[in-house]
Amino acid sequence: MKLKQFITLLGVTVAGFTLSPIAIAKNVVLKAAHASAITSTGQKAFEFMNNELKQKTDGRITLEIFPASQLGSERELVESIQLGNVDMAFVSSAVLGNFNPEFFALDIPFLFKDRASVYRVLDGEIGQSLLGSLDKVGIKGLAFWENGFRQLTNNKKEIRTPADLAGIKMRTMENEVHIAAWKALGANPSPLAFGELFTALQQGTFEAQEGPINLFYDMKFNEVQKYISVTNHVYSPWPLMINPEVYDSFSSEDKKVFDEVVKATANYQRDLALKADENAIANMPEVKITKLTAEELNQFSSKMPAIHEMVKKKIGPAIVDKIIAEINK
């Protein structure tokens, strides 16, 4: 048999070495990573996504999940998505401001009133435009998962007013808007990778931090922090991201399945997150949780106009004004 006939029978072209029309779909294992705890709603969402993809693709597309900063800090995970070293990840939206300044708009303190206003912004034109804007920095934004409203915690005393924050050493995310806001409130803030935070709080490097109550509980911060002030100062979403080349490698059929699973997972994760704060509060009787009055909250928010202007100066007023208009509908 001649070589050309043999190759033809195998269904391979000589020039391109491509498969014949009877294409063989290869299995894909997506490396998915995050910095939160293995008990977090984000981890459970990745597990849900893995099961859904496995079922809907007959096991061809699955996830291998790396929780708790195993593959790096949140900033390092974003960089790994860009480089293709990690396929998927979710991180705090505040981290993305360092890669795409438009995300700083979500970091303005006391911007959102409630979850209804949050979802109108994130699920509408504004949020989808933000996700789309990640294309220009080598990332494909998929959805906004929920990290939740952020609260102030510390191990020193009950904090009810900015005056109570004077001089307190506080951990913030690596985000200049967050740092500026807490300085304006009188704290002494410094950034630190989230994966290093428990040890820093335990050793007294920091006396205070801020974040969602459910994450506080998942990370066992209640072992080293005894006071929570319910400030709801920032709503923190978890943008879900994928490496663009990985997404583009899917067939059109697989993209359709993947997009459907992403949407279902976002709904699943948000439902978990809504219940997670209540569960955390119920399981931390040793922590003093202080609900601030409207007057006390106003003492915090009244110090934020300069932060509003700082963000507008960085990214232009248009997106900030759009968000405020949507919230006030």
Side-chain angles (χ1 to χ4, degrees):
M1 181 182 294
K2 294 182 180 179
L3 178 60
K4 185 176 180 180
Q5 291 174 317
F6 176 70
I7 292 174
T8 302
L9 286 174
L10 286 177
V12 181
T13 64
V14 177
F17 294 98
T18 57
L19 291 174
S20 69
I22 307 174
I24 302 172
K26 63 180 181 179
N27 291 343
V28 176
V29 180
L30 300 174
K31 187 184 292 185
H34 62 89
S36 64
I38 197 168
T39 55
S40 71
T41 60
Q43 170 72 18
K44 291 173 183 175
F46 266 152
E47 292 170 357
F48 175 89
M49 176 180 280
N50 181 44
N51 290 334
E52 289 291 297
L53 286 172
K54 189 182 298 183
Q55 178 182 341
K56 295 181 184 299
T57 65
D58 296 322
R60 288 187 298 100
I61 302 177
T62 57
L63 304 184
E64 184 179 8
I65 307 168
F66 298 87
S69 302
Q70 289 180 21
L71 299 186
S73 67
E74 288 195 320
R75 184 180 182 118
E76 289 168 337
L77 289 177
V78 178
E79 292 168 347
S80 291
I81 289 283
Q82 293 174 312
L83 295 170
N85 296 330
V86 170
D87 299 318
M88 294 183 67
F90 64 84
V91 299
S92 300
S93 59
V95 176
L96 286 176
N98 298 302
F99 296 84
N100 179 4
E102 291 178 45
F103 274 81
F104 282 129
L106 300 179
D107 294 319
I108 297 175
F110 304 99
L111 183 65
F112 291 105
K113 300 174 181 178
D114 49 35
R115 280 183 168 85
S117 61
V118 167
Y119 297 157
R120 285 202 308 273
V121 169
L122 296 185
D123 296 340
E125 179 186 346
I126 298 169
Q128 298 313 298
S129 177
L130 277 173
L131 289 177
S133 72
L134 291 173
D135 290 347
K136 62 189 178 187
V137 292
I139 298 167
K140 180 171 178 60
L142 294 171
F144 285 107
W145 289 359
E146 178 156 318
N147 196 1
F149 279 100
R150 304 182 75 86
Q151 319 300 348
L152 170 64
T153 85
N154 82 101
N155 69 343
K156 300 289 286 184
K157 59 184 178 180
E158 184 181 34
I159 292 176
R160 305 193 72 106
T161 69
D164 297 327
L165 268 173
I168 282 185
K169 295 180 293 183
M170 181 175 180
R171 179 268 175 182
T172 66
M173 288 183 282
E174 191 177 349
N175 177 294
E176 57 188 289
V177 176
H178 283 229
I179 294 170
W182 290 108
K183 281 184 178 178
L185 291 169
N188 180 18
S190 296
L192 182 74
F194 186 69
E196 302 172 29
L197 181 53
F198 182 92
T199 300
L201 294 172
Q202 186 179 48
Q203 294 177 345
T205 306
F206 292 101
E207 298 162 326
Q209 67 93 45
E210 54 81 48
I213 287 181
N214 65 82
L215 194 61
F216 178 93
Y217 176 66
D218 283 333
M219 299 302 295
K220 303 187 186 300
F221 289 165
N222 53 304
E223 296 179 5
V224 290
Q225 298 268 277
K226 299 304 178 187
Y227 301 92
I228 296 176
S229 298
V230 180
T231 52
N232 288 337
H233 53 272
V234 167
Y235 175 86
S236 181
W238 271 333
L240 176 67
M241 307 166 293
I242 190 169
N243 175 275
E245 292 181 7
V246 171
Y247 182 82
D248 291 341
S249 72
F250 294 154
S251 67
S252 57
E253 293 81 5
D254 282 347
K255 281 181 182 175
K256 182 178 179 182
V257 170
F258 184 81
D259 292 345
E260 289 172 353
V261 170
V262 164
K263 185 175 181 179
T265 304
N267 292 333
Y268 170 81
Q269 192 276 335
R270 280 186 181 176
D271 186 58
L272 288 180
L274 283 171
K275 301 168 184 173
D277 280 355
E278 294 177 5
N279 178 67
I281 291 170
N283 285 282
M284 296 189 300
E286 75 282 5
V287 177
K288 181 173 179 55
I289 300 176
T290 301
K291 292 186 178 180
L292 304 187
T293 66
E295 182 180 346
E296 288 168 339
L297 284 170
N298 185 60
Q299 291 185 53
F300 285 88
S301 61
S302 65
K303 294 183 180 294
M304 293 298 105
I307 307 303
H308 282 238
E309 293 307 312
M310 171 188 174
V311 174
K312 286 184 176 182
K313 187 174 181 180
K314 287 185 68 65
I315 65 175
I319 186 169
V320 177
D321 291 341
K322 280 183 180 179
I323 291 174
I324 292 173
E326 188 65 40
I327 289 171
N328 291 330
K329 282 185 178 178

